[in-house]
Amino acid sequence: KKLCLNSGEIISMSASMNMIFEVADLAVASPATVSRCGMVYLEPHQLGWRPLVLSWLDALPSHIDRGDKAHLLGLFDWLVPATLRFIRRDVAEGAPSLDGQLVTSLMRNFSALSGHLSDAAQYAALEVRARLHMESIFVFSLVWSLGVSCATNAHRKHFDRFVRAAAACELPAYESPSGERYTLPEDIPDRHVTLTSPMMPSGGGATVYDFRFDAAQDAWVPWSADVGGGSGGGSDLPADATFRKLIVPTSDTVRYAYMLDALVKAGCPLLLVGPTGTGKSVLVQKYLYALPADEYVAPNVVGFSARTSANMTQ
């Protein structure tokens, strides 16, 4: 078996090797290609994102109250459809995405950040505060899944205004950048659930991207509070550190390190994207090399560029 690439390179495959491709569409695939590859293809709009959520909810720990699970599903049905339409209509994305992909990211974020809810003893100890934690973590996960698809800070500000209007049940009065009105039945479902917990603060020009939910304090905490020794990795600089290896903590490095830590520990994949020279590789490598050696395999870093070929990678 051989894998022939468009570049002309041919990679030999052993008898025990198989490949699985996830295709975006079958626009240029012939019937012969489909039959030989044994493809099973579903249009994303036909499947939708809701079956993914229902399957995920069924896998949640059994000790979580059925009422809380129903409320969580209600939050999805209330905020996700309108937010997805806003992303498609009113903002530019850093990279093309699918609805199911963004909702899957939301669920992964929620699972990674709600570990204490998965513990029966901690969940029972929260009592009525469990709903506060669930709603706050959902809103935070919504921002850091659908909301981070925005390509620029200007679009993030548009998203901030939209999600605050949606959470406050003020969509009928909301004016979007494109002039689109979000008043359709799917934007504002009949008898939808509402938030009983507060949103992120908005004073001083703060956006929904500027806070994280602190489960210990039952409150929203600004990322700036973690600059200087918080959950973002701390600001203590080693005395023997070389200049080129120094990372001066900022709100950005803190929040990206926070999400990186939460998702890695939850076993979720993470893709960190952004303009060239913004410290993405340095931040990730610093985190990976600091992982405990008795729990994680030592990282094997492979650098890619526009000139990296398949043979060079092998």
Side-chain angles (χ1 to χ4, degrees):
K1 291 186 290 185
K2 296 180 180 180
L3 177 63
C4 302
L5 305 180
N6 287 336
S7 62
E9 296 180 74
I10 298 177
I11 301 176
S12 298
M13 300 172 60
S14 65
S16 61
M17 295 173 64
N18 288 296
M19 301 196 71
I20 299 177
F21 293 92
E22 182 177 352
V23 297
D25 56 58
L26 299 180
V28 295
S30 66
T33 300
V34 174
S35 62
R36 289 172 183 169
C37 292
M39 293 184 184
V40 179
Y41 183 73
L42 293 173
E43 291 282 356
H45 70 272
Q46 291 176 338
L47 178 63
W49 54 266
R50 206 167 187 272
L52 301 175
V53 174
L54 293 175
S55 178
W56 174 73
L57 287 173
D58 285 340
L60 290 180
S62 58
H63 65 262
I64 295 181
D65 184 73
R66 294 180 61 181
D68 285 340
K69 290 184 179 180
H71 185 71
L72 189 55
L73 177 60
L75 293 175
F76 275 94
D77 289 337
W78 170 36
L79 292 175
V80 168
T83 306
L84 286 173
R85 196 158 80 87
F86 177 82
I87 293 294
R88 304 297 176 222
R89 178 84 182 186
D90 283 288
V91 303
E93 293 187 277
S97 64
L98 298 174
D99 290 356
Q101 167 194 345
L102 294 180
V103 176
T104 298
S105 295
L106 193 165
M107 293 184 290
R108 285 176 174 169
N109 286 349
F110 187 95
S111 297
L113 297 168
S114 61
H116 62 293
L117 297 178
S118 300
D119 183 89
Q122 294 186 56
Y123 176 80
L126 288 173
E127 298 178 342
V128 295
R129 294 161 46 227
R131 184 67 59 91
L132 165 67
H133 286 222
M134 189 170 291
E135 289 183 348
S136 300
I137 294 173
F138 175 86
V139 171
F140 180 87
S141 300
L142 178 76
V143 171
W144 287 91
S145 55
L146 280 67
V148 293
S149 187
C150 303
T152 65
N153 286 333
H155 289 129
R156 286 191 173 192
K157 291 181 179 179
H158 292 322
F159 181 85
D160 171 72
R161 290 182 55 242
F162 170 83
V163 78
R164 289 186 186 278
C169 301
E170 297 175 354
L171 276 185
Y174 171 73
E175 295 183 8
S176 69
S178 67
E180 179 76 0
R181 307 294 293 185
Y182 291 87
T183 56
L184 298 176
E186 55 266 32
D187 297 330
I188 310 175
D190 188 31
R191 296 192 298 275
H192 63 75
V193 302
T194 58
L195 291 176
T196 58
S197 54
M199 277 287 289
M200 296 87 155
S202 58
T207 69
V208 292
Y209 299 94
D210 294 328
F211 297 88
R212 66 175 178 87
F213 179 72
D214 191 314
Q217 302 182 43
D218 294 347
W220 294 106
V221 177
W223 293 112
S224 56
D226 292 332
V227 178
S231 63
S235 64
D236 295 332
L237 302 178
D240 58 345
T242 59
F243 179 78
R244 68 183 185 89
K245 291 185 177 181
L246 291 178
I247 300 178
V248 179
T250 65
S251 293
D252 283 333
T253 62
V254 163
R255 56 189 172 189
Y256 299 143
Y258 176 87
M259 293 303 300
L260 179 64
D261 182 62
L263 291 169
V264 167
K265 289 181 178 177
C268 299
L270 174 70
L271 178 64
L272 193 62
V273 299
T276 302
T278 52
K280 300 181 300 296
S281 299
V282 174
L283 181 66
V284 172
Q285 289 182 27
K286 176 187 176 183
Y287 174 79
L288 292 178
Y289 286 126
L291 290 173
D294 57 337
E295 296 181 32
Y296 296 90
V297 177
N300 184 14
V301 179
V302 180
F304 288 88
S305 70
R307 301 180 62 86
T308 304
S309 67
N311 286 335
M312 291 170 62
T313 304
Q314 287 183 315

